[in-house]
Amino acid sequence: TQVHYQLALLYSKQGNATEAAKEMEIFQKLKETADQFQEQHAALLRKMDKASAFANLGWLYLNEQKYEEAVREYQKALWHDANYAEAYNGLGHAYALLGRFEEAIQAQQKALQLKPTMAEAYAGLGFIRLKQAEISQSEEDYESAMKAYRKATELKPDFSEALENLGNIALQLSLLQEAEKAFETLLSILSRDS
């Protein structure tokens, strides 16, 4: 992070505004991520809700595409609170991205056992089944993904990510009316929110 900042200063002193701006932008993005991690670590040191703080770290690692690290942080969250459904949901997502589908399904099922109406856990199951379908190209896997996304949108009708994936899968399976309905609902939500 600091090297990009120093390069921005160097380029600025050399009169190279384009490169200076580019390096400063990289610095700011890296600093923002580092600040988020530091904030979660500080929360842990203040002995706040450790399960939530570890789960937040897991989420940050997921966004950074550091899936093994995400798994470790979600496991730490669950060590502090074995009934934290959101941590199971994140853990399932991380496992799916690592291709560890059975563990991913188990984590999502545990989340649903704890919170049977958790739309995000159903979307997590849909995500896992979709990842499996992308590998297998099995219509059965795509249909399993659709079923999970349908349940997610039933529980949370304005769940944009689930609607988008539901529409994409329906389109792939040539279920055109269902795809159209999902995409129209999604557009309605997006236009309402903007």
Side-chain angles (χ1 to χ4, degrees):
T1 306
Q2 202 58 31
V3 173
H4 288 287
Y5 179 76
Q6 297 297 355
L7 280 172
L9 289 177
L10 172 77
Y11 289 134
S12 180
K13 287 182 179 187
Q14 291 177 340
N16 189 343
T18 304
E19 287 299 316
K22 181 178 145 187
E23 290 299 328
M24 186 56 77
E25 184 178 332
I26 293 169
F27 163 75
Q28 289 170 336
K29 285 180 183 177
L30 291 173
K31 185 174 181 336
E32 182 180 322
T33 300
D35 288 348
Q36 290 174 338
F37 280 101
Q38 187 173 2
E39 185 179 307
Q40 291 306 314
H41 282 289
L44 287 171
L45 293 175
R46 288 190 305 268
K47 298 185 187 244
M48 292 176 62
D49 177 10
K50 289 189 178 194
S52 177
F54 280 120
N56 287 340
L57 282 171
W59 180 82
L60 289 170
Y61 279 122
L62 272 180
N63 286 337
E64 291 294 310
Q65 299 177 350
K66 296 179 178 177
Y67 307 128
E68 291 289 348
E69 291 88 341
V71 165
R72 277 194 296 278
E73 296 305 322
Y74 283 122
Q75 288 171 336
K76 289 177 191 175
L78 292 167
W79 185 80
H80 286 280
D81 182 354
N83 294 317
Y84 194 18
E86 289 76 6
Y88 282 108
N89 178 267
L91 182 61
H93 199 79
Y95 278 145
L97 290 165
L98 289 167
R100 295 163 59 180
F101 299 123
E102 288 306 313
E103 291 167 288
I105 290 169
Q106 288 173 2
Q108 293 299 0
Q109 288 172 338
K110 182 65 177 177
L112 287 169
Q113 185 181 41
L114 294 166
K115 282 191 176 179
T117 60
M118 186 179 185
E120 292 80 5
Y122 281 104
L125 282 174
F127 178 75
I128 296 162
R129 296 298 188 193
L130 181 57
K131 287 292 179 194
Q132 288 176 312
E134 288 170 352
I135 294 168
S136 70
Q137 291 299 304
S138 159
E139 191 168 314
E140 186 178 314
D141 286 338
Y142 280 113
E143 288 171 356
S144 292
M146 274 190 67
K147 182 179 176 185
Y149 281 124
R150 282 182 188 133
K151 184 66 176 177
T153 58
E154 178 185 310
L155 291 167
K156 189 174 175 181
D158 64 345
F159 196 162
S160 57
E161 178 188 330
L163 284 164
E164 182 178 0
N165 286 325
L166 180 60
N168 288 334
I169 296 166
L171 187 59
Q172 170 113 8
L173 296 176
S174 297
L175 300 171
L176 304 182
Q177 288 181 325
E178 186 166 2
E180 181 180 20
K181 181 182 175 194
F183 290 138
E184 285 178 352
T185 304
L186 178 59
L187 283 176
S188 171
I189 291 164
L190 296 174
S191 65
R192 177 190 74 205
D193 292 345
S194 60

